[in-house]
Amino acid sequence: MSPVACAACPLRKRTIFTPFTAEEVVFMQKFKVGELSVDRGTTILMEGSNSPQLYTVLRGQGIRYKTLENGRRQVINFLFPGDFAGLQAGLMGEMKHSVEASSDMVLCVFDRGELWQMFRAQPGRAYDLTWISAVEEHFLGETIASLGQRDATQRVAWALLRMYERLSAVGLAVEGAVPLPFRQQDLADALGLSLVHTNKTLARLRELQLLNWRDGRLHIPARSELAKLALVDLEKPEIRPLM
Amino acid sequence: MSPVACAACPLRKRTIFTPFTAEEVVFMQKFKVGELSVDRGTTILMEGSNSPQLYTVLRGQGIRYKTLENGRRQVINFLFPGDFAGLQAGLMGEMKHSVEASSDMVLCVFDRGELWQMFRAQPGRAYDLTWISAVEEHFLGETIASLGQRDATQRVAWALLRMYERLSAVGLAVEGAVPLPFRQQDLADALGLSLVHTNKTLARLRELQLLNWRDGRLHIPARSELAKLALVDLEKPEIRPLM
DNA sequence: CGTGCCATTGATTCTAATCAATAAAAGTGG
DNA sequence: CCACTTTTATTGATTAGAATCAATGGCACG
């Protein structure tokens, strides 16, 4: 498929993203050096590597994870359309986690070498990038709070509700369901739970009619019920910039 | 005490921080609008508030935490000399966590209104700010991995070792010990453990002669032993900018 | 000298991990 | 297209690590 022009970017229309000026669209079009299409299962960025590229997810979903000395894997978070990846390598010289595609994906590719130029010539875009980073920090803080303070049921409810809301915000909800290509093992590794316990917890939430995740689709019949259980405030979604 | 001139900043000499150019020192001196001295126990930033100020910790230590719907508290991380605070309010309009002083503290104060000016006039400093944010993201990712994949003993060892290294890097180690003003409850809330279990875990690590935290001082007799237990790679410290 | 905060220790309970086995799908190669 | 392997999901039985409950001691402070 031919690359999506920034002027016609389907994500930019979504209200969770802050608007671009015409000038910014022009700049981003220059900044964008191409598109990367990968199959499900592909490693896009590798922990410890020093990728020359930065990415914005255009289509598909993935995971960010890191591996500990003892071999255990922690999924840091999930990657959805509109998410930015590769900043760590861009600024700190190497990735501190890996990124893998959980479905087929398409990513906008930016040249890391141009990053400094962006800071000089486009302070507005630089500001937005910092903002993106601050939003990311915020979400990681939420995750820490979940792992530290929520029990298994609340954690699973919290994670799936969050993903449901995020995917809805980029227009992927169809009849109360969103596509969710992850494995139960991925969720377990994200929440610090064993696979077995995650499975049993999902079964319980399904019994309670609070959610139904099967065949790669997540159905949530009653958002607010699930939100109550998950101790989530169904606030208006966090508005943030898109890169 | 009279304010510290940026030119004479004691932190800037530390090798964990990237060097400033002479021009940057001049700019920071203008950007710095004053100093804030607070007593132990003071709330510096409040979750949900929209502070007009940004801070860099000059002296003392604190905690960042958030409170869940169920009243439980999660300590997101600890604040040490050189750490930057308030960016979330600066960019997203409100703080997503609170910041409290765990010892008496002195902070450099910057005017949030000047932030945008910094992005326009000092792309290098803007770049550094994004870098700081990326480093923060990295550490939060590490924390997530700890909460998700390490058991109680490893978590306590990991956290205390990390704090020891960080405090050493800013010159606070004296005879194998660093000042650590936190309560056991703070550590418990940071690691997602109960106070009782944290206390018992500390006692066990003390028996093993791996660490000794008492009277506000943390002694670590054999760093590498503790690192092995904590599954920590005693790499060279992460170099990062100072704001 | 009482009150409150923080640290410590023992006893008990329970959530989630581990172990084990099977079922259901999805690829793979001849 | 069908045997065969691999991956992913499900369920039951047992164990273990950490939470909760409960009580005490040491200190600082008004």
Side-chain angles (χ1 to χ4, degrees), chain B residues 54-197:
Chain B
L54 305 170
Y55 304 100
T56 290
V57 179
L58 194 54
R59 279 199 293 275
Q61 304 174 38
I63 56 176
R64 280 194 249 248
Y65 66 93
K66 57 173 64 191
T67 309
L68 275 79
E69 320 275 317
N70 59 4
R72 300 180 57 136
R73 180 183 79 147
Q74 174 68 38
V75 171
I76 307 294
N77 59 19
F78 299 90
L79 222 53
F80 300 114
D83 282 341
F84 189 70
L87 189 60
Q88 289 187 341
L91 295 170
M92 309 180 357
E94 77 175 53
M95 290 303 294
K96 301 300 183 181
H97 56 251
S98 301
V99 174
E100 183 178 314
S102 294
S103 69
D104 293 350
M105 293 183 79
V106 180
L107 306 104
C108 298
V109 182
F110 308 106
D111 178 9
R112 191 181 115 178
E114 294 296 309
L115 192 59
W116 173 240
Q117 189 48 38
M118 185 177 97
F119 272 83
R120 294 200 73 87
Q122 293 283 328
R125 292 270 69 199
Y127 186 90
D128 284 345
L129 186 59
T130 312
W131 184 351
I132 286 171
S133 194
V135 170
E136 205 58 49
E137 257 187 72
H138 161 48
F139 286 128
L140 295 182
E142 295 269 294
T143 300
I144 289 170
S146 276
L147 297 189
Q149 308 302 332
R150 281 185 245 251
D151 65 26
T153 309
Q154 293 167 340
R155 268 185 249 183
V156 170
W158 169 81
L160 292 179
L161 179 56
R162 195 159 157 270
M163 296 194 258
Y164 180 87
E165 297 290 306
R166 180 67 173 71
L167 288 164
S168 295
V170 291
L172 291 171
V174 177
E175 293 168 18
V178 293
L180 204 72
F182 310 109
R183 292 162 303 174
Q184 293 188 1
Q185 184 69 64
D186 296 325
L187 184 62
D189 287 348
L191 300 181
L193 299 170
S194 71
L195 171 61
V196 172
H197 198 61

Side-chain angles (χ1 to χ4, degrees), chain A residues 41-226:
Chain A
T42 306
T43 296
I44 297 164
L45 291 164
M46 182 94 88
E47 187 171 349
S49 76
N50 185 355
S51 158
Q53 259 123 36
L54 305 169
Y55 304 100
T56 291
V57 178
L58 194 54
R59 279 198 294 275
Q61 304 174 39
I63 56 177
R64 280 195 247 248
Y65 66 92
K66 58 173 64 191
T67 308
L68 276 79
E69 320 276 315
N70 58 5
R72 298 181 58 136
R73 181 182 79 149
Q74 175 68 37
V75 170
I76 306 295
N77 61 16
F78 299 90
L79 221 54
F80 299 115
D83 282 341
F84 190 71
L87 189 61
Q88 290 187 340
L91 296 170
M92 310 182 347
E94 77 175 50
M95 290 302 296
K96 300 301 182 180
H97 56 251
S98 301
V99 175
E100 183 178 314
S102 294
S103 69
D104 292 351
M105 294 182 80
V106 180
L107 305 105
C108 299
V109 182
F110 308 106
D111 178 10
R112 191 181 115 177
E114 294 296 310
L115 193 59
W116 172 239
Q117 189 48 38
M118 185 177 97
F119 272 84
R120 295 200 72 88
Q122 294 283 327
R125 292 270 68 200
Y127 186 90
D128 285 345
L129 186 59
T130 312
W131 184 349
I132 286 172
S133 194
V135 170
E136 205 59 50
E137 257 188 71
H138 162 48
F139 285 128
L140 295 182
E142 294 270 294
T143 300
I144 289 170
S146 276
L147 297 190
Q149 308 302 332
R150 279 184 247 254
D151 66 25
T153 309
Q154 294 167 340
R155 266 185 250 183
V156 170
W158 168 81
L160 292 179
L161 180 57
R162 195 159 156 271
M163 296 196 258
Y164 180 87
E165 297 290 305
R166 181 66 173 72
L167 288 164
S168 294
V170 290
L172 289 172
V174 177
E175 293 168 17
V178 293
L180 205 73
F182 311 108
R183 293 162 301 176
Q184 294 188 359
Q185 184 69 66
D186 296 326
L187 184 61
D189 288 348
L191 300 180
L193 300 170
S194 71
L195 171 60
V196 172
H197 199 61
T198 301
N199 179 284
K200 287 173 179 169
T201 303
L202 284 168
R204 226 171 312 118
L205 288 168
R206 202 180 304 133
E207 299 254 306
L208 291 171
Q209 313 262 320
L210 287 172
L211 58 81
N212 191 352
W213 176 26
R214 45 181 306 134
D215 304 325
R217 291 194 73 78
L218 170 67
H219 300 252
I220 295 189
R223 274 163 82 243
S224 61
E225 281 305 299
L226 189 61

